[in-house]
Amino acid sequence: MTLPLRPDLAGLTPYGAPQLDVVARLNVNENPYAPPAVVVDAIATAVRQAASGLNRYPDRDALELRGDLASYLAVESQADFLAAENIWAANGSNEVMLHLHQAFGGPGRKVLSFAPTYSMYPEYARDTLTDYETLPRRADFTLDVDAAVKAIEELEPVMVIVASPNNPTGTALPLSETERLCAAVAKVPGGSLLVIDEAYAEFRRHGVPSALSLLPDHPELVVSRTMSKAFAMAGGRLGYLAAALEVVDALQIVRLPYHLSAITQASARAALAHHRDLQAQVDEIRAERDETVAWLREQGYTVADTDANFALFGPFEDREKVFQGMLERGVLIRVTGPEGWLRVSIGTPQEMALFRSALVEVVA
Ligand SMILES: *Cc1c(COP(=O)(O)O)cnc(C)c1O
């Protein structure tokens, strides 16, 4: 059969990391701790209640959920200036990002990002026929802001996307640099947005601020978050952003009606009510991360400074071979980043002990 597939999609394979049943799954930056029983019960109760109304479509605007997310950001990042109407939510921040591209991207429009970064960014652009351009990060994976400002002036992108902390490097963008990018984006004729993807925000080291604090003074700024990582709710599929009302209004034009199921809204609200229980181990994960980084450096590896729940380390002459050797020992990590580097998500102390002993064996 001849499929009428878009020519630009011919020969492509779907994105996705391996989902393997091994002892230590350290490849997609999940929180390794399952929700505690008290939260499981709260979610089950909320879902049971929602189930009794499943003959009706869910609240299309998800306003209660968006209000809960605003309250959470007020607690987590002192962003107490946000109302429900400043929040947009969707099925994972992947869908939030797709909505941004559907509303602001399109043929003849450019998105700018900084490589190496999240491998889904080019896919949102491809799927919305938006041009995707990248500038290289410096050798230590920080941004060359002078070069970025110049590129914004020249390319006039509709969106500039920076993951902070960046995946796969863990690099956070300092507020002063975020402000410089805001200023450059605000000058683009025809308008432009700076999207800071803070999927890993809750793991940042003490003293590293969130871009949320800049929102009141910067209508061109969008801050994206997710419940998939620190929140231990990757399976719940709930991502969100905070932005000016006009941005959120524009996103509503492209969303599918009822895109967030009643089950999703109910479980996310129950999880948000228990955010402290769900994130109880975030401090442990951060400590484990810092110990992992220190151990890798003691072993002689180069490790990127990280504010996330993973570490990028190397260099390896044959990283595929190291990846395979680790997998044979029950440790699934990720081949990503520049040639020669590997990424490990931070797991439980037991999982990280296995990671360390497996790595020592594999490179021996
Ligand atoms: C994991 C990740 C996300 C989260 O995606 P969800 O769809 O919310 O699960 C977003 N951005 C980056 C950079 C990530 O690494």
Side-chain angles (χ1 to χ4, degrees), residues 19-335:
Q19 292 188 303
L20 303 176
D21 192 11
V22 297
V23 183
R25 283 188 282 173
L26 305 175
N27 71 331
V28 288
N29 304 338
E30 294 151 328
N31 188 321
Y33 298 98
V38 52
V39 187
V40 172
D41 288 345
I43 291 173
T45 303
V47 168
R48 164 170 257 286
Q49 207 171 2
S52 68
L54 281 180
N55 55 312
R56 300 291 178 190
Y57 283 110
D59 173 10
R60 208 171 35 215
D61 298 324
L63 262 177
E64 290 180 315
L65 169 60
R66 288 159 63 200
D68 290 350
L69 290 164
S71 304
Y72 167 70
L73 291 180
V75 173
E76 197 277 332
S77 286
Q78 292 80 51
D80 52 8
F81 42 81
L82 296 169
E85 290 77 10
N86 293 111
I87 306 290
W88 183 240
N91 294 281
S93 53
N94 270 279
E95 190 181 27
V96 170
M97 293 295 265
L98 186 63
H99 286 164
L100 283 166
H101 283 72
Q102 288 174 324
F104 303 110
R109 292 171 163 233
K110 291 188 188 111
V111 163
L112 175 67
S113 193
F114 305 90
T117 191
Y118 189 36
S119 26
M120 279 303 296
Y121 295 160
E123 303 217 358
Y124 311 135
R126 178 200 72 197
D127 293 347
T128 56
L129 306 174
T130 310
D131 292 328
Y132 179 74
E133 312 235 1
T134 55
L135 283 187
R137 286 171 176 264
R138 294 200 191 99
D140 64 358
F141 304 123
T142 58
L143 281 202
D144 180 343
V145 180
D146 289 333
V149 168
K150 206 162 142 250
I152 292 167
E153 284 166 4
E154 278 166 15
L155 297 171
E156 300 183 351
V158 288
M159 282 190 288
V160 177
I161 304 177
V162 186
S164 174
N166 184 42
N167 181 2
T169 65
T171 322
L173 186 70
L175 273 198
S176 59
E177 300 190 358
T178 310
E179 283 183 296
R180 288 191 61 200
L181 294 181
C182 276
V185 156
K187 280 191 220 127
V188 172
S192 180
L193 296 171
L194 174 64
V195 181
I196 305 290
D197 180 352
E198 292 194 346
Y200 300 95
E202 289 90 347
F203 296 110
R204 64 195 188 272
R205 288 171 289 185
H206 288 292
V208 176
S210 161
L212 283 169
S213 62
L214 299 178
L215 270 178
D217 297 324
H218 291 283
E220 66 284 349
L221 179 63
V222 174
V223 181
S224 164
R225 293 275 186 112
T226 181
M227 292 178 74
S228 293
K229 306 288 163 55
F231 243 108
M233 283 284 287
R237 307 308 299 132
L238 203 288
Y240 58 105
L241 61 71
L245 299 178
E246 297 90 315
V247 173
V248 175
D249 285 347
L251 296 174
Q252 315 229 22
I253 298 170
V254 297
R255 60 111 178 89
L256 295 172
Y258 318 111
H259 68 296
L260 282 178
S261 82
I263 302 293
T264 300
Q265 294 186 40
S267 58
R269 293 195 68 204
L272 280 159
H274 289 85
H275 67 92
R276 283 185 216 282
D277 296 315
L278 277 168
Q279 297 193 34
Q281 283 99 351
V282 163
D283 284 343
E284 275 168 56
I285 295 169
R286 292 152 94 216
E288 192 70 36
R289 171 213 40 219
D290 295 340
E291 281 166 33
T292 303
V293 169
W295 179 83
L296 284 165
R297 285 180 179 153
E298 277 165 27
Q299 304 300 302
Y301 297 108
T302 304
V303 189
D305 278 330
T306 173
D307 277 289
N309 64 335
F310 54 81
L312 188 72
F313 63 105
F316 296 95
E317 214 165 284
D318 187 348
R319 64 174 170 176
E320 288 288 348
K321 205 168 140 197
V322 176
F323 169 82
Q324 276 304 330
M326 298 292 285
L327 189 54
E328 282 157 23
R329 287 160 180 80
V331 183
L332 178 60
I333 57 173
R334 189 75 172 265
V335 178

